């Protein structure tokens, strides 16, 4: 945490100082053309060498301050890609112009050109600013991931493993990639993933090569046309500084920060681009029945006893088992007994039969609780189907209770959709993601979820005993676990983190595409201007407007996505 805090502080200082240097260089550039006044001792007319020396010193100082950026950008032309490349090309081009200016002024003839060092310093300023935004996101993620809350690690079980096919059999997923969660104390690889190479880094190197190539071509064309070295180098600097985007690091920094703010609200952490990419390949997620049917969607519509058995005793038998064993039905039975859990009987030898129901011993009586099929499996005859339908009505489902081998009661349960869950499920299905559901509720089956939430067939699967046994070792606690996301264990946190990651990926890609357009347009603009002879005297103010306008547009674009 101390290292991340120091990194953010350093980037803040670099951004502020580079910004101040950009203002001073802009003042000198406008003073060079006579737009702004300069002190007499460093004016071009009275002190040309002082002017050139101060101008060069400011550029050199800014480059030294941002040496890691410039060095990594230049190295990135040939090795690991980085978004620093365009910034480095602009800085070197501006430095070259400053050196040639100093040499030119030694002859006593001030060239009629525009100085572009202010733009290069501003590019380095925004480069540090974007990195600071991203480092803030990493720091806040680290604080959340290392906080005192209990965590779960979400990791991807891909379709290359046989267990993935077995678990998802029945879903319409040819190559399942399942996002599974397990409780853990530490998710490994946080820093590695946080600083992993991003999609925009690879684009940054391509833009760097484009920028360098066009700048050199423009410089050669200018020299061929004018035979003037200063004009050729100025055209080189103009092209590099006009086309080098201020938003080079903001295209990843802003979406990263928005991702962190979004996931932070639901207690999730998606550490970096490598994790985002893995999450983007997921096509199957898991949820519990209570996530799909929260307490406000499950209702007890009625109770039918058989052989004149007592209703209050039926409620206590059923509540004793379901409060302990079934998270979807627990709340409605607690409500019936007004939350007085001390009324419940002691439950012994409780066993669950997924998809069917429960067996247990209560008050020395063998209790069987579950579906019609559960009763039949235990040699208990449920009422005829027409009788069942008469009491349950359309859209309701029964839960039968048998005590000591005799049918005791039938509880009539209804399930309704939840608006937030509906929105979440619709979003998942629209994104091509299927749902696996773990459930102790004997009524919660594929058909029920698809019917209540009006989902297409084949996108939901409620897991049975065999699948749950396969999943058990994959979901059990580990002190350290691999993972692409840390969350607090809830469905909201789990799905919220996944959806925010998708928003971050889309936001970064949209901004990067727009940034590509700005660079290509600036390169074409420079080629046309060098042919017309106007590039060496291109207005610095025009370049500032062009750069700031595109940066504002690119910076605002990620806010259009949902995180």
């Amino acid at each position: 945490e101390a290292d991340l805090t120091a990194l953010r502080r350093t980037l803040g200082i670099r951004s502020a100082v580079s910004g101040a240097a950009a203002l001073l260089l802009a003042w000198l550039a406008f003073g060079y053309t006579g737009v702004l006044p300069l002190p007499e001792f460093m004016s071009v007319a009275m002190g040309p060498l002082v002017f050139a020396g101060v101008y060069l010193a400011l550029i050199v100082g800014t480059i030294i301050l941002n040496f890691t950026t410039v060095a990594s950008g230049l190295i990135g032309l040939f090795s690991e890609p980085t978004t620093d490349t365009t910034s480095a090309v602009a800085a070197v081009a501006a430095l070259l112009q400053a050196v040639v200016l100093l040499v030119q002024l030694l002859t006593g003839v001030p060239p009629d050109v525009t100085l572009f060092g202010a733009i290069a310093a501003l590019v380095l300023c925004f480069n540090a600013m974007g990195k600071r935004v991203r480092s803030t996101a990493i720091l806040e993620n680290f604080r959340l991931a290392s906080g005192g809350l209990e965590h779960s690690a979400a990791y991807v079980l891909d379709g290359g493993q046989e267990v993935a096919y077995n678990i998802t059999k029945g879903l319409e997923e040819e190559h399942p990639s399942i996002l599974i969660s397990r409780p853990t104390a530490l998710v490994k690889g946080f820093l590695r993933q946080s600083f992993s190479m991003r999609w925009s880094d690879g684009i940054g190197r391509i833009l760097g090569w484009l920028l360098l190539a066009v700048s050199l071509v423009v410089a050669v064309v200018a020299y061929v046309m004018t035979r003037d070295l200063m004009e050729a180098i100025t055209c080189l600097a103009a092209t590099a500084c006009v086309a080098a985007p201020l938003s080079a690091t903001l295209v990843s920094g802003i979406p990263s920060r928005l991702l962190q703010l979004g996931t932070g609200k639901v207690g999730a952490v998606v550490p970096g681009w490598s994790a985002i990419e893995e999450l983007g390949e997921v096509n199957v997620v898991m949820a519990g029945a209570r996530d799909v049917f929260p307490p406000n969607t499950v209702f007890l519509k009625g109770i039918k006893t058989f052989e004149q058995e007592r209703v209050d005793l039926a409620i206590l038998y059923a509540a004793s088992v379901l409060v302990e064993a079934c998270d979807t039905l627990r709340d409605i039975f607690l409500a019936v007994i007004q939350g007085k859990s001390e009324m419940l009987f002691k439950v012994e030898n409780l066993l669950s039969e997924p998809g069917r129901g429960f067996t247990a011993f209560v008050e020395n009586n063998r209790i069987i609780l579950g579906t019609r099929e559960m009763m039949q499996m235990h040699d208990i005859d449920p009422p005829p189907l027409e009788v069942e339908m008469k009491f349950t009505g359309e859209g309701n489902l029964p839960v039968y209770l048998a005590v000591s081998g005799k049918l005791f009661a039938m509880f009539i349960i209804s399930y309704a959709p939840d608006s937030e869950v509906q929105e979440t499920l619709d979003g998942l299905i629209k994104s091509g993601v299927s749902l696996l559901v773990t459930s102790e509720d004997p009524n919660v089956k594929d058909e029920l979820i698809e019917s209540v939430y009006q989902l297409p067939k084949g996108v939901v699967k409620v897991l049975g005993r065999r699948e749950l046994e396969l999943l058990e070792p994959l979901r059990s606690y580990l002190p350290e676990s691999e993972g692409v996301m840390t969350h607090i264990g809830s469905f909201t946190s789990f799905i919220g983190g996944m959806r925010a990651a998708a928003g971050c990926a889309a936001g970064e890609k949209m901004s990067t595409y727009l940034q590509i357009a700005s660079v290509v347009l600036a390169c074409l603009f420079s080629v046309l201007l060098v042919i017309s002879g106007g590039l060496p005297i291109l207005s610095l103010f025009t370049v500032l407007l062009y750069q700031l306008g595109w940066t504002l547009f690119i910076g605002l674009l990620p806010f259009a996505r949902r995180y």
Side-chain angles (χ1 to χ4, degrees):
E1 184 175 6
D3 289 341
L4 291 171
T5 302
L7 174 63
R8 184 175 66 169
R9 182 172 56 250
T10 299
L11 290 168
I13 293 171
R14 280 169 50 183
S15 179
V17 175
S18 298
L23 287 174
L24 289 174
L25 287 165
W27 171 56
L28 291 174
F30 284 122
Y32 182 79
T33 57
V35 175
L36 292 177
L38 291 173
E40 187 174 326
F41 75 92
M42 61 181 299
S43 67
V44 178
M46 302 301 295
L49 295 182
V50 175
F51 174 89
V54 172
Y55 185 82
L56 178 60
L58 281 171
I59 292 178
V60 170
T62 306
I63 290 176
I64 291 174
L65 180 67
N66 296 277
F67 178 76
T68 54
T69 295
V70 177
S72 69
L74 295 177
I75 294 171
L77 285 167
F78 306 98
S79 61
E80 184 173 313
T82 171
T83 49
D84 290 339
T85 299
T86 52
S87 303
V89 171
V92 171
L95 175 63
L96 190 57
Q97 186 194 30
V99 170
V100 175
L101 174 68
L102 177 62
V103 173
Q104 189 87 357
L105 289 179
L106 286 173
T107 66
V109 182
D112 183 19
V113 295
T114 300
L115 303 180
F116 293 98
I119 304 298
L122 195 62
V123 167
L124 292 173
C125 165
F126 272 76
N127 181 286
M129 189 186 303
K131 289 178 179 177
R132 186 183 186 278
V133 172
R134 184 178 165 192
S135 69
T136 299
I138 294 172
L139 176 60
E140 294 303 323
N141 275 338
F142 178 82
R143 286 172 174 166
L144 183 59
S146 60
L149 295 174
E150 293 184 2
H151 296 114
S152 291
Y155 67 100
V156 178
L157 184 70
D158 62 45
Q161 301 182 42
E162 185 179 353
V163 66
Y165 284 105
N166 290 330
I167 293 170
T168 59
K169 190 175 183 180
L171 290 176
E172 295 184 358
E173 296 293 349
E174 187 177 350
H175 301 289
S177 180
I178 313 172
L179 190 62
I180 295 178
S181 289
R182 73 184 336 147
T184 188
L186 176 67
V187 179
K188 296 187 286 187
F190 175 83
L191 289 178
R192 171 180 53 79
Q193 292 184 95
S194 296
F195 290 98
S196 59
M197 191 175 73
R198 304 182 74 89
W199 182 77
S200 54
D201 290 337
I203 301 297
R205 177 162 70 178
I206 295 172
L207 292 179
W209 274 111
L210 174 66
L211 187 60
L212 180 59
V214 174
S215 298
L216 290 173
V217 168
V218 164
V220 171
V221 170
Y223 185 76
V224 169
M225 291 175 62
T226 64
R227 298 295 173 178
D228 187 317
L229 179 62
M230 184 64 200
E231 282 205 17
I233 296 300
T234 297
C235 288
L236 173 74
T239 304
C241 292
V242 172
L246 299 182
S247 56
T249 55
L250 288 173
V251 294
S252 63
I254 292 175
S256 294
R257 181 61 168 147
L258 291 174
L259 169 64
Q260 184 273 315
L261 291 171
T263 55
K265 293 177 183 176
V266 295
V269 171
V270 181
W273 188 258
S274 62
I276 291 171
E277 282 189 314
E278 282 198 66
L279 286 172
E281 296 172 359
V282 168
N283 54 26
V284 181
V285 297
M286 297 186 64
R290 189 180 175 90
D291 299 320
V292 180
F293 293 113
N296 62 307
T297 65
V298 186
F299 306 94
L300 178 60
K301 291 291 188 177
I303 304 172
K304 162 67 178 171
T305 59
F306 301 97
E307 303 296 333
Q308 297 183 339
E309 298 288 358
R310 291 168 50 189
V311 173
D312 60 336
L313 196 56
I315 291 171
L316 287 176
Y317 278 139
S320 298
V321 174
L322 295 175
V323 166
E324 183 173 335
C326 185
D327 55 2
T328 50
L329 300 178
R330 175 188 303 127
D331 293 272
I332 58 174
F333 279 89
L334 276 174
V336 172
I337 62 172
Q338 299 179 338
K340 297 177 181 178
S341 56
E342 65 275 8
M343 297 173 57
L344 300 177
F345 299 131
K346 183 180 179 182
V347 178
E348 298 177 317
N349 300 327
L350 176 62
L351 293 175
S352 171
E353 297 186 20
R356 297 190 182 93
F358 309 91
T359 61
F361 279 90
V362 177
E363 295 288 283
N364 295 319
N365 295 307
R366 187 168 188 255
I367 299 296
I368 302 172
L369 196 65
T371 63
R372 183 181 189 86
E373 292 75 22
M374 182 72 167
M375 298 297 113
Q376 292 170 338
M377 281 185 58
H378 291 272
D379 299 322
I380 296 169
D381 293 327
L385 276 173
E386 55 270 20
V387 175
E388 178 183 297
M389 291 298 297
K390 175 183 175 182
F391 285 105
T392 58
E394 187 177 354
N396 300 323
L397 294 170
V399 173
Y400 287 100
L401 168 68
V403 179
S404 298
K406 292 174 55 180
L407 193 63
F408 200 93
M410 176 175 67
F411 299 92
I412 303 165
I413 312 293
S414 73
Y415 300 81
D418 177 85
S419 57
E420 290 187 11
V421 175
Q422 182 78 67
E423 182 183 357
T424 298
L425 293 179
D426 288 344
L428 289 174
I429 303 308
K430 187 177 179 180
S431 303
V433 178
S434 299
L435 184 69
L436 296 176
V437 179
T438 59
S439 175
E440 298 294 343
D441 188 333
N443 285 331
V444 175
K445 296 183 171 64
D446 311 354
E447 298 80 10
L448 175 68
I449 299 173
E450 291 169 354
S451 172
V452 170
Y453 286 101
Q454 298 181 343
L455 302 176
K457 189 172 179 60
V459 298
V460 177
K461 178 181 179 180
V462 178
L463 299 174
R465 179 186 297 276
R466 185 179 63 86
E467 290 95 349
L468 291 172
E469 288 174 352
L470 286 172
L471 274 173
E472 183 61 31
L474 302 175
R475 302 175 68 206
S476 58
Y477 173 83
L478 283 180
E480 294 185 6
S481 175
E482 298 291 342
V484 294
M485 177 172 63
T486 303
H487 62 98
I488 58 176
S490 69
F491 186 62
T492 300
S493 178
F494 179 66
I495 297 298
M498 185 177 172
R499 293 179 68 176
C504 176
E508 181 166 332
K509 288 185 177 181
M510 286 194 306
S511 294
T512 303
Y513 289 137
L514 197 60
Q515 183 172 269
I516 292 170
S518 74
V519 173
V520 171
L521 190 61
C523 288
L524 292 173
F525 183 60
S526 298
V527 171
L528 292 175
L529 276 181
V530 75
I531 295 172
S532 66
L535 188 57
I537 55 172
L538 176 64
S539 167
L540 185 64
F541 186 69
T542 300
V543 177
L544 280 170
L545 285 180
Y546 181 87
Q547 285 277 27
L548 293 174
W550 275 103
T551 303
L552 180 63
F553 194 10
I554 292 169
L556 289 176
L557 197 58
F559 288 89
R561 303 298 304 185
R562 180 175 178 177
Y563 296 83

